[in-house]
Structure formats: structure tokens, C-alpha cells
Amino acid sequence: MSAEAADREAATSSRPCTPPQTCWFEFLLEESLLEKHLRKPCPDPAPVQLIVQFLEQASKPSVNEQNQVQPPPDNKRNRILKLLALKVAAYLKWDLDILEKSLSVPVLNMLLNELLCISKVPPGTKHVDMDLATLPPTTAMAILLYNRWAIRTIVQSSFPVKQAKPGPPQLSVMNQMQQEKELTENILKVLKEQAADSILVLEAALKLNKDLYVHTMRTLDLLAMEPGMVNGETESSTAGLKVRTEEMQCQVCYDLGAAYFQQGSTNSAVYENAREKFFRTKELIAEIGSLSLHCTIDEKRLAGYCQACDVLVLSSDSTSQQLTPYSQVHICLRSGSYQEVIQIFIEDNLTLSLPVQFRQSVLRELFQKAQQGNEALDEICFKVCACNTVRDILEGRTISVQFNQLFLRPNKEKIDFLLEVCSRSINLEKASESLKGNMAAFLKNVCLGLDDLQYVFMISSHELFITLLKDEEQKLLVDQMRKRSPRVNLCIKPVTSFYDIPASASVNIGQLEHQLILSVDPWRIRQILIELHGMTSDRQFWTVSNKWEVPSVYSGVILGIKDNLTRDLVYILMAKGLHCSTVKDFSHAKQLFAACLELVTEFSPKLRQVMLNEMLLLDIHTHEAGTGQAGERPPSDLISRVRGYLEMRLPDIPLRQVIAEECVAFMLNWRENEYLTLQVPAFLLQSNPYVKLGQLLAATCKELPGPKESRRTAKDLWEVVVQICSVSSQHKRGNDGRVSLIKQRESTLGIMYRSELLSFIKKLREPLVLTIILSLFVKLHNVREDIVNDITAEHISIWPSSIPNLQSVDFEAVAITVKELVRYTLSINPNNHSWLIIQADIYFATNQYSAALHYYLQAGAVCSDFFNKAVPPDVYTDQVIKRMIKCCSLLNCHTQVAILCQFLREIDYKTAFKSLQEQNSHDAMDSYYDYIWDVTILEYLTYLHHKRGETDKRQIAIKAIGQTELNASNPEEVLQLAAQRRKKKFLQAMAKLYF
């Protein structure tokens, strides 16, 4: 050991074990104390607590000299903290079960994003666009971990969450909880938008046939060093902890199965995918066995999923004899064959094959349907409950409260059915003494609970009762019945039995709250609330469900209502109505809103106007989702109400921004341009930005056919949108006196933010309005000085060709907006050739040539009946053809280049001859010669093949030249017909290749 090393060791050994509080994280890293701490038997703090602490420290905002809050700085301290958090997760082997159980969604999102960053996943790149097979193993594994967590989080969020009982109100704690809730909701919103991409990434992972590697504490240490010291080790095939292909596929299959199963509630066909993934998971678990280090699947939950899929997914060749009891019950419920469900349950009382929880869930489902107004199910509910009760009795469980409630008013039919179930549920020859004793005690207690002697006699004279109870027990029961009254008249109410004792108040409140959550009948909701307020006066029943959400602009007014019952009723009716509207259950939404309107009209003009506004929005949605989709114009009454809302000037009325958006979008979609341009009041243009925007769009549409000089409105619209897309800059003077740009953010000078503009545009459906907006943003995109390839659009010439202050425009945001708008417009009409050309130009500008060709060809196909007619020259302009030529050239499809050169108004022989000289063509080459109609190109091909000694190909070219319809002496019409026929066949062949 050198002297220097000895001195270092001595200094280290003399240091105190506890580092200074100010630099504990650097100390942990530099002294390797983190690993020592984690290897303790019971480390305190626990590993997951360390992750939270590290990331909280790293994400703390800073405060500058002007006391302005700044984002967390990217300095050495924060990088060390993030690295420590990643190392703790690596110590836990990136087990999502452990991490999800202990970390909140925002913390785990931050952790996995740091993993993506350190694993060299390019920021801003969609994971679905990356080829996992060509990525380094640790990078591919990081992408898989993130996307697995994404769909697991979406699935988990769909499960009901038990609401925690609120403790003493503490403002700071409540604010923190609210912030975390909002952050979690925002993250979930993004994850749900990306869910389809995450599923595609995981499906692609199942095709990998190589082992992957996940970062360990050692590889993370290597990444923290200087790049020159790593020597690429973290990207090699042996760095990190090895995850076998089978283990990875097993985890991915299980997570995909859960995602598909969750989607099945809205699309039952997806259950087939879930079933396939779950059964593949079972196969992989059998292959892996007990040797797995990384694959931790809850096999009980997996078995439940498989069982559910067996019920939900039926093979086409299955017969009733092959169906499981689960499948039979499920089919009967779907078809409404409830009597068959009852027979299955009675038979199951002998076989005991169906779990009790499943039977109870069937009963709950029937109860829900009965509470929604289907009175015919009341009898079915009793019969199913009786079957379940007999099953409980046979297995030694107590009688449920539900049975006692349903049996409060017995009649002859109920007694007959109960005796039938009891008789068919026990085999007296094979039953054990305990089973017989349980059944006898049940029948005895039923008799003791009955008031009417006639019903008692029905049971006591039944064969099962006589067989199970001995003579002494029967006499004892008769004596007990007589002791109820000293007189012979047994019609007097007997002594209350144990089973007639009513349920406790807390049980009744819980059941009523459950009904309150499920009900969408306004009068039933009112009745339940009256009962609940009669039981307790210190509860706020509008907080029963965390799914009941009312916009904040309304909640202050509603919660200010002094009467507790009225406040709860108004809040719940509005929350349920808004939810029904969101899920497009417009009939129930209308009932709930109408009841709420009737209620608030009595005491609050302000809330009355609020409800009228919400009912207007509901009627707009109802029309747009119904007859409006077929192109039927809305009734004049609805248009008048929309105008009335826009012109409303009532003070102190809380207004939702979305209603103004929807009203203006409604007027634009139904071409009410006259009103927006000429009749809208002037004060609206100043006070409502959506009305201002709608007026400019309507006026631009109206002036579009006129001369360019008269399009003053188009210039005004251009200036408004440019202002919205502008950014404001903040500058800071350094110590050296220089002024530097430190931050850019959205300008507040525009009439609205860009995100609000995009949200408004996505409510529009009118093709002309969408085309104008799209052309405006395309023009704004093209104004940039560094643009190489312009994007073309219809009506692009109406916009100004320059901007005075280019630096003020956020062109990156403009580019993103163009892509979003094209995606949205094509979802409205995927056959609009103008929008398809824009999408193709975007792909061309971003060097995605195969995708660009796809959309160029699609644009031609939709306006030519799949090329059976000639493509209009304003669609396939020379610029479009030249871009198609460049795409083919860069894809090494040189024969296609030569053919496309013929499509130009003046044939480009130079490009055609140059492309034919290429010998590494990736297309079909000589099989395309039949699509060439220009004799000069065919003659050049003949010469070229002769020069190369390619006799076979030369003969094909000579044969193509020899076709009589290409003879130069033919009339012009014949030559044009020959060219058109070859164009058609070539473009159809290209479409089959790229579609």
C-alpha cells in the first residue's frame, strides 16, 4: 500500500460515522455508505422511503434574488440525489410490485423518467417509434419498465378506492393532498392518452428473442463517471442484471392481459386478447418454474383472470354440456334467463363448486338492476338470496341481513320456494350430521320468526322438517310457539326472534349510501337523502363518493346553501348529471338536470341560470351525438338558445368556459356565419375571446371567394393566432454585465393560450373552417427562416408571407400544433385529399419517406376511386410528384423514380436516366417496365441492358416498346389512353405496396 493510500485509509477510519447534515447525500455516494445501509437486516429509513426523500430533495424549487420561485436547478447536488434514488430502485431489482405499493404515482413517474433519461432514451421521441431490437439492452429494458408501469397504473386507477375517513381538518395537509391528487390526475390523463402506444410497445417486446439487462447499482455508478471512463460497458450485452426472455415475456403478457381485460368493459371483443395473454402467462410460468429472479406474478389473481376470461370468452364450438357453471351463469344474466340462474344456484348447493363471493356478486348485480326501476327483479332477488342463504347455512355461516330484510313480509310463494331450495340442497342419505343439524336449526328459527301460524304449519308439516327434527324437538318447538301468547289465538304477534332484530344504524346508513351511489333516479336519490338525514344530522352526504365532482365555479355557490338536505341534493344531482353527460347517457342526465332545475328555481335565481346553461350544453351534446352526426340541422329553438347564452349579461352568474367554447363551435359547425359576422353584439367581442375567434373565422369563410385585397379579416385572424403562438422572454444581467436569455414562456398578450385554442379547434367539425385554420398554421410553420421543405395547404395564399418579429413566435409549438391538427382533422374525415397531402408533407419534411408515400398515394386514391379515374392535377401537382420521386429515390426504389418522372408536365429525362443507371434498386425493377409508356425511356433501358449484357431484361424492355398502343404514329387520344391505363396500374401497385 502506498503512503498516500495509507493516509487516505487512516483519514477515513477516523471520520465520524454520521455525516454532516448539509451534505449527507454526497457522503452516502462518495463513501459507498448507501450499499451498507441497504444491506442492514432492517434498514431505517426503508429503501422506498429513501427514494421518496432523494426525489423530494432533488425536485425542490429554488428561489432567486428577487424571491421568484424557479424550477429545480440541474446541478451536481440534484444529479447525485436522482442517482441515489435510481440506485435504491436498482437494489430492489426494479420490482414494480414493491415500488407501486410504497410510492405514489407522481414519485414513481419521476423515478422512471429519470431511468429513461439515464438509459439514453432520446427525450421527446415516442417509444412506439423506436425499434427495441436495435436498442442497447438496458435502454430497451428501461422503455419496457416505463410502459409496463403506465398500463398497470391505468388498470389500477380503474379499481374503486375506499375513501379514507377524514381526520381533523389541517389546511396545510389538505392543500398538499389536493396538490398530489391533481398531479396524479394529470399524470393519469397523459398515461391514458398514451395507452395505445404503450400497448404497442409491449406487444413489440413479445417479439424479441434476446435476453435484456436492467441497471444495477454498479452500472449506475459507471454512468455517473466521466464518459471516457465507462468505455461503453453499460451498453454492452453483458452489463447490468440479466433478465431472461421468458421472464420478460411472462411479465409483459400478464400486464397486457390486465390492460385488455380492463378495456373489455367497453369492448367485449378485447376479452379474447386478454384470455390469450393470461394463458400464455400460465405457460411461461410453467416453463420458468421456481428459478425466476424477476418474474413475480400473483398466481391466485392470474387464476381468477383466467377463470373470468373462460366465462367472458366462449369458443364457437362450445355446447351447453361443455360450459362451466360460471359461463352458464354469465350467459343467463346476459340473456335475462334468471330462472336458469336460480336452478344453477340450487344445483350448486349440492356440488359447492361456485365460490360464495361469485354468488354474492350476482346478487349485488341483480339488486342494482332492481334499484334502477326494474320491479320484476324483486322476486328474482329474493329467490337468489334464498339460494345463497341456504348455501351459507350448510357451510355454517350466519344468515345475511339481506335475507332478513327480504323475508320481513313472508307469503305462501316465498315459503314454498324456500322449502323447495332446502329440500333440493341436501342429500339426506349422504349428508353428514353437522349438515343436517345446520338445516334443522335454520328451519326451526324460520318457524320461530313467523307471525302467521299458517306459515308455521306449512314448514312444520313438510317432509324435510319432519325428517330432520326429532319428535322431542318438534314438541319443544310447539311449546315455544304456544308460550308466545296465553290465549289460543296465534294470530297475535309472537315474540321477536333473533333474526327479526333490525340491522344496526351504521349498517342501514352504509346500505343507503351504496344505493345513493348507484341510483340515477332523481326522486329515488331525494328519498334516500331524506332517510339518511333522518338517521344522522352531522354528515355531509355529498362527500360519500370521490367520483362526484362539480366544477369549482359552481361548488362555492352550492356549498353555501344553508339547508343540509337541499345542499346535498343539489350537489349530487348536478354531479351525477355531469357524469352521465360525460359518459353520453344523455337521457338520465336530462332527468337529473331537470329535477335540479325544479329544485333550485324555488330559492336561487343564480343556480337556476346555472342549470339552464348546463341544460343548454347537454342539448348541444345530445344533438351532436345523435341526429347531428347524420347532418341534420339543429332545431331553430336550440340555435336561439345558443344565441341567448352568448348575449347573456347577467351579473354574478358563475360561468363555465367550456359552455362558451361549445356554443361558438356549435355556431361555426352549423354555418351560422351571418350571425357571428353581423349580428353578434360588440361587447361580446371584447369580453368573450371565443366569440372574437369565432367571428374572425366566420368572416374569413365568408370573404374567401372574394379578391385577395378584400380579405382584411384574414389578416386580423392571422395576427390573433400569431399573438397566441408568441412567447415572452425574461432576461437576466450577469456579474459581467452581459444580458442573457434565461426563460421563455407563453405570452399573456394573446386573447387565449395556445392549449385553449387547440382545445377549441378540436370541437369543430365544419370542413371549411378546419381547412382555414389548418392552412393558417401551415403558413405560420412555413414562415420560419430555417425551413427546407415547405408544407402545402389549400387557401394558403390568403395569409401574410412574413412576420415582423420572427423571434417572438414559438415555432416548436407551432410545429406540434400542426401535427395535432392534422391528426384531428383526419379523424373527422380521413378521405379529405387536402389534409392527406399536408400529412404527407409533414412526414416528407421529417424524413419519414415511406409514411409520406403512404399518404401521397392515399390522397390520390380517395379522389380517383382508387385510381380507376384520373387523379385531378390540383392534387398531384408537379411539387407532389417531385416529392414522391425523392421519396422513392431515398428508399432506393429507382425504377419507381423513372416511372414517376413520366407523371410530370414535362418529363424529367435526366432524373429518370440517372435513376435507371443505379444497380442496387430495392424495387421490382424489370417487372415495372409494363408501366412505362414513354418510348424514349424504354429505348434508354434497351441500350442500358445491352451495354451491361443483361439479355433477359433487354428482351423485356424490347417487348414493352413493341406494344402497338405505344406507336408514335397513333392518334393523341390513343397515346393518352395508353398512358392513363399504365398510370392506373402503377399507382394501384404502389398503393398495395405502401398501404
Side-chain angles (χ1 to χ4, degrees):
M1 181 185 296
S2 65
E4 184 181 350
D7 291 343
R8 180 178 175 83
E9 184 178 353
T12 304
S13 62
S14 64
R15 290 179 185 169
C17 293
T18 305
Q21 201 66 18
T22 56
C23 60
W24 58 275
F25 40 84
E26 292 97 336
F27 188 82
L28 277 176
L29 184 64
E30 292 174 3
E31 305 299 329
S32 302
L33 292 183
L34 180 61
E35 293 186 48
K36 295 178 184 178
H37 174 78
L38 293 173
R39 289 189 181 122
K40 291 178 183 178
C42 296
D44 185 21
V48 288
Q49 293 173 338
L50 281 175
I51 293 176
V52 175
Q53 292 174 12
F54 290 146
L55 292 178
E56 280 182 354
Q57 289 285 334
S59 60
K60 276 187 177 179
S62 60
V63 180
N64 62 12
E65 296 173 356
Q66 289 79 28
N67 288 328
Q68 294 177 327
V69 178
Q70 304 287 331
D74 185 19
N75 53 26
K76 180 181 177 183
R77 170 188 180 274
N78 286 345
R79 287 194 294 271
I80 290 172
L81 283 167
K82 292 173 183 176
L83 183 63
L84 287 171
L86 290 170
K87 289 178 71 174
V88 176
Y91 171 78
L92 296 173
K93 295 185 174 60
W94 302 99
D95 190 330
L96 287 180
D97 289 331
I98 296 174
L99 296 175
E100 289 171 341
K101 185 177 180 182
S102 308
L103 299 179
S104 65
V105 171
V107 172
L108 193 45
N109 179 56
M110 193 188 309
L111 179 71
L112 292 175
N113 274 298
E114 288 302 326
L115 175 64
L116 293 173
C117 182
I118 205 167
S119 301
K120 301 180 182 177
V121 176
T125 305
K126 285 190 175 183
H127 295 171
V128 73
D129 295 335
M130 303 178 75
D131 185 0
L132 296 178
T134 61
L135 294 175
T138 50
T139 305
M141 194 64 193
I143 291 174
L144 288 188
L145 272 171
Y146 178 85
N147 287 282
R148 280 185 57 219
W149 167 75
I151 64 170
R152 286 162 67 108
T153 304
I154 294 169
V155 171
Q156 190 64 34
S157 70
S158 67
F159 297 154
V161 179
K162 185 178 180 180
Q163 199 169 12
K165 293 184 178 179
Q170 297 180 11
L171 188 59
S172 59
V173 175
M174 290 173 67
N175 287 340
Q176 185 178 354
M177 290 173 64
Q178 182 63 26
Q179 288 174 4
E180 183 171 335
K181 180 184 176 184
E182 290 176 359
L183 187 56
T184 301
E185 288 174 352
N186 290 336
I187 293 171
L188 276 171
K189 183 180 178 183
V190 174
L191 294 180
K192 288 175 181 176
E193 289 173 356
Q194 299 173 349
D197 287 352
S198 293
I199 288 174
L200 289 176
V201 170
L202 296 181
E203 288 284 7
L206 296 178
K207 299 174 184 176
L208 294 177
N209 55 2
K210 65 175 183 178
D211 296 334
L212 297 180
Y213 292 81
V214 68
H215 279 303
T216 61
M217 298 179 79
R218 177 174 173 272
T219 59
L220 291 170
D221 278 334
L222 289 171
L223 285 171
M225 298 178 184
E226 293 297 325
M229 299 174 64
V230 180
N231 296 325
E233 181 177 357
T234 54
E235 294 189 5
S236 73
S237 58
T238 57
L241 190 62
K242 181 178 178 181
V243 180
R244 291 188 297 157
T245 308
E246 295 81 5
E247 293 177 309
M248 178 271 291
Q249 291 182 350
C250 187
Q251 291 173 318
V252 171
C253 277
Y254 180 75
D255 292 337
L256 278 173
Y260 287 138
F261 192 87
Q262 185 240 346
Q263 293 175 357
S265 60
T266 55
N267 182 7
S268 57
V270 184
Y271 283 127
E272 181 62 43
N273 295 341
R275 183 178 186 274
E276 178 188 337
K277 292 295 182 285
F278 286 134
F279 279 86
R280 178 58 181 155
T281 305
K282 289 180 72 174
E283 293 173 4
L284 289 167
I285 289 175
E287 290 179 22
I288 297 168
S290 59
L291 302 175
S292 174
L293 295 174
H294 308 284
C295 189
T296 54
I297 303 293
D298 185 345
E299 295 194 36
K300 288 185 178 179
R301 195 175 187 86
L302 174 62
Y305 272 130
C306 292
Q307 204 168 51
C309 288
D310 276 340
V311 172
L312 296 167
V313 181
L314 301 176
S315 301
S316 58
D317 58 347
S318 60
T319 62
S320 59
Q321 288 77 16
Q322 296 171 331
L323 295 176
T324 63
Y326 290 100
S327 303
Q328 293 176 16
V329 171
H330 186 68
I331 292 170
C332 292
L333 289 174
R334 283 195 297 185
S335 62
S337 305
Y338 301 118
Q339 294 297 336
E340 293 183 27
V341 174
I342 294 166
Q343 296 305 317
I344 293 169
F345 276 20
I346 294 174
E347 292 169 7
D348 181 67
N349 284 349
L350 281 172
T351 60
L352 307 179
S353 59
L354 292 173
V356 174
Q357 293 81 359
F358 173 74
R359 295 172 60 127
Q360 290 172 347
S361 70
V362 172
L363 180 58
R364 280 196 298 271
E365 183 178 338
L366 292 171
F367 266 129
Q368 290 173 10
K369 291 181 180 178
Q371 289 165 0
Q372 289 170 2
N374 192 344
E375 296 180 0
L377 287 179
D378 290 343
E379 181 185 352
I380 300 297
C381 287
F382 168 76
K383 290 184 176 181
V384 172
C385 185
C387 294
N388 287 353
T389 300
V390 172
R391 167 74 178 269
D392 290 338
I393 292 303
L394 292 174
E395 294 187 336
R397 287 186 292 274
T398 58
I399 298 175
S400 67
V401 175
Q402 291 169 327
F403 178 76
N404 287 318
Q405 290 178 333
L406 293 172
F407 205 61
L408 278 175
R409 295 182 180 84
N411 54 38
K412 183 178 181 301
E413 289 74 19
K414 288 184 178 180
I415 300 291
D416 281 337
F417 180 77
L418 186 61
L419 290 171
E420 179 190 354
V421 174
C422 292
S423 302
R424 293 177 57 186
S425 299
I426 186 169
N427 187 338
L428 294 174
E429 295 178 0
K430 298 180 181 179
S432 63
E433 290 301 319
S434 63
L435 280 179
K436 293 178 181 178
N438 291 341
M439 183 65 78
F442 172 64
L443 293 173
K444 181 178 170 183
N445 284 317
V446 170
C447 288
L448 289 171
L450 293 170
D451 297 340
D452 193 332
L453 188 61
Q454 178 187 354
Y455 298 148
V456 175
F457 179 75
M458 284 177 63
I459 298 174
S460 61
S461 61
H462 194 274
E463 182 181 357
L464 180 65
F465 183 90
I466 296 169
T467 305
L468 291 176
L469 269 76
K470 299 176 183 177
D471 292 340
E472 295 80 8
E473 292 176 317
Q474 293 180 30
K475 290 178 182 178
L476 183 62
L477 176 63
V478 172
D479 291 339
Q480 288 178 323
M481 296 294 293
R482 285 175 178 170
K483 287 178 182 178
R484 290 182 178 181
S485 175
R487 295 177 295 173
V488 179
N489 184 7
L490 292 178
C491 294
I492 298 174
K493 181 178 172 73
V495 178
T496 304
S497 73
F498 171 77
Y499 295 105
D500 283 332
I501 298 173
S504 67
S506 61
V507 172
N508 287 333
I509 289 174
Q511 290 174 342
L512 287 172
E513 287 179 347
H514 181 67
Q515 294 176 25
L516 186 64
I517 292 171
L518 296 176
S519 180
V520 289
D521 179 4
W523 305 114
R524 177 61 182 151
I525 292 169
R526 178 176 177 274
Q527 182 184 0
I528 293 170
L529 282 172
I530 291 172
E531 291 183 44
L532 286 170
H533 278 276
M535 293 179 178
T536 176
S537 59
D538 59 348
R539 288 284 300 279
Q540 296 179 338
F541 292 104
W542 62 271
T543 63
V544 165
S545 173
N546 59 0
K547 300 292 185 184
W548 292 342
E549 294 182 355
V550 167
S552 56
V553 292
Y554 297 161
S555 58
V557 182
I558 296 173
L559 298 181
I561 298 173
K562 293 181 180 180
D563 181 68
N564 293 341
L565 174 60
T566 306
R567 179 198 58 213
D568 288 346
L569 185 54
V570 172
Y571 189 98
I572 293 171
L573 288 174
M574 178 175 281
K576 284 179 173 284
L578 291 171
H579 173 73
C580 288
S581 178
T582 302
V583 299
K584 294 184 170 29
D585 184 0
F586 299 124
S587 59
H588 280 123
K590 192 156 191 174
Q591 292 174 14
L592 291 159
F593 281 164
C596 192
L597 174 63
E598 183 180 346
L599 177 63
V600 299
T601 300
E602 300 173 1
F603 65 89
S604 175
K606 186 182 293 186
L607 284 176
R608 177 181 179 275
Q609 188 59 51
V610 164
M611 291 312 306
L612 289 173
N613 295 345
E614 289 297 329
M615 292 186 78
L616 170 62
L617 180 60
L618 177 64
D619 288 342
I620 290 174
H621 287 163
T622 304
H623 179 267
E624 297 294 287
T627 56
Q629 286 188 332
E632 182 178 329
R633 281 190 62 79
S636 57
D637 170 63
L638 182 57
I639 295 175
S640 299
R641 288 167 60 200
V642 171
R643 291 182 179 184
Y645 175 83
L646 292 175
E647 298 169 12
M648 182 174 62
R649 298 186 70 176
L650 295 176
D652 301 328
I653 298 295
L655 300 174
R656 278 211 295 160
Q657 175 180 294
V658 68
I659 303 181
E661 283 186 66
E662 292 283 359
C663 285
V664 176
F666 177 83
M667 300 297 276
L668 286 170
N669 285 335
W670 294 105
R671 296 176 291 281
E672 291 291 323
N673 296 336
E674 287 292 331
Y675 171 77
L676 289 171
T677 53
L678 301 175
Q679 301 174 31
V680 71
F683 77 89
L684 270 181
L685 299 176
Q686 304 299 324
S687 61
N688 194 323
Y690 295 101
V691 174
K692 174 69 174 175
L693 185 62
Q695 189 246 2
L696 291 172
L697 283 168
T700 305
C701 290
K702 192 176 174 184
E703 294 176 0
L704 196 60
K708 186 175 180 181
E709 295 76 18
S710 67
R711 296 173 191 156
R712 172 64 193 168
T713 317
K715 186 180 179 183
D716 294 341
L717 178 58
W718 168 267
E719 290 173 353
V720 165
V721 173
V722 168
Q723 192 68 59
I724 291 172
C725 295
S726 297
V727 291
S728 60
S729 304
Q730 294 181 359
H731 295 80
K732 181 179 179 182
R733 187 177 299 278
N735 296 330
D736 57 355
R738 295 180 181 176
V739 176
S740 59
L741 179 67
I742 61 170
K743 189 178 182 182
Q744 285 190 327
R745 62 184 180 186
E746 277 193 81
S747 172
T748 56
L749 300 177
I751 62 173
M752 64 182 70
Y753 288 113
R754 185 181 63 87
S755 57
E756 294 173 335
L757 173 61
L758 190 58
S759 172
F760 172 72
I761 294 171
K762 288 186 177 180
K763 292 178 170 63
L764 300 173
R765 292 182 294 100
E766 170 59 24
L768 181 57
V769 178
L770 289 173
T771 300
I772 286 174
I773 293 172
L774 195 51
S775 69
L776 189 155
F777 274 96
V778 166
K779 183 65 175 183
L780 189 55
H781 174 272
N782 291 345
V783 166
R784 291 176 63 173
E785 294 175 344
D786 57 345
I787 285 292
V788 177
N789 296 307
D790 280 355
I791 301 173
T792 56
E794 218 175 343
H795 309 306
I796 200 168
S797 60
I798 69 173
W799 311 113
S801 55
S802 62
I803 299 175
N805 186 7
L806 278 174
Q807 290 75 18
S808 67
V809 178
D810 186 352
F811 284 108
E812 184 178 347
V814 171
I816 293 171
T817 305
V818 171
K819 292 178 183 177
E820 284 283 329
L821 289 179
V822 174
R823 190 180 300 119
Y824 170 70
T825 53
L826 287 177
S827 70
I828 296 294
N829 182 7
N831 295 327
N832 186 303
H833 64 81
S834 173
W835 300 343
L836 289 167
I837 291 290
I838 295 173
Q839 180 67 83
D841 283 349
I842 291 172
Y843 281 124
F844 181 81
T846 54
N847 303 329
Q848 300 180 67
Y849 302 114
S850 180
L853 271 175
H854 170 91
Y855 282 96
Y856 283 133
L857 289 166
Q858 191 173 341
V862 297
C863 60
S864 64
D865 191 18
F866 197 69
F867 306 113
N868 285 309
K869 301 174 184 175
V871 180
D874 60 332
V875 177
Y876 275 1
T877 61
D878 271 6
Q879 181 179 345
V880 170
I881 298 298
K882 286 177 181 178
R883 290 189 171 184
M884 292 174 72
I885 288 170
K886 186 173 181 181
C887 289
C888 292
S889 177
L890 291 168
L891 293 170
N892 287 334
C893 298
H894 300 295
T895 314
Q896 294 174 5
V897 170
I899 298 171
L900 284 170
C901 286
Q902 302 173 108
F903 283 63
L904 297 168
R905 286 182 174 83
E906 293 184 8
I907 299 175
D908 186 355
Y909 290 112
K910 181 180 178 181
T911 304
F913 293 166
K914 186 177 178 181
S915 65
L916 292 173
Q917 291 171 10
E918 298 287 345
Q919 291 186 308
N920 63 338
S921 185
H922 293 169
D923 56 22
M925 297 181 69
D926 50 322
S927 65
Y928 281 124
Y929 291 175
D930 285 339
Y931 304 136
I932 301 174
W933 63 87
D934 185 79
V935 176
T936 306
I937 295 176
L938 287 170
E939 288 174 345
Y940 180 77
L941 273 172
T942 307
Y943 158 76
L944 199 60
H945 291 313
H946 175 72
K947 183 179 177 182
R948 292 175 182 168
E950 298 168 343
T951 309
D952 293 342
K953 293 182 179 180
R954 178 173 174 270
Q955 289 300 321
I956 295 172
I958 291 172
K959 182 181 177 182
I961 295 175
Q963 296 178 79
T964 54
E965 58 187 359
L966 297 183
N967 194 318
S969 59
N970 285 337
E972 186 64 27
E973 295 80 7
V974 175
L975 293 174
Q976 286 182 0
L977 187 61
Q980 188 56 42
R981 186 181 295 116
R982 283 161 176 77
K983 281 184 181 180
K984 166 191 166 183
K985 290 183 178 179
F986 172 69
L987 290 172
Q988 287 176 342
M990 288 277 284
K992 291 176 183 177
L993 186 62
Y994 287 99
F995 282 4

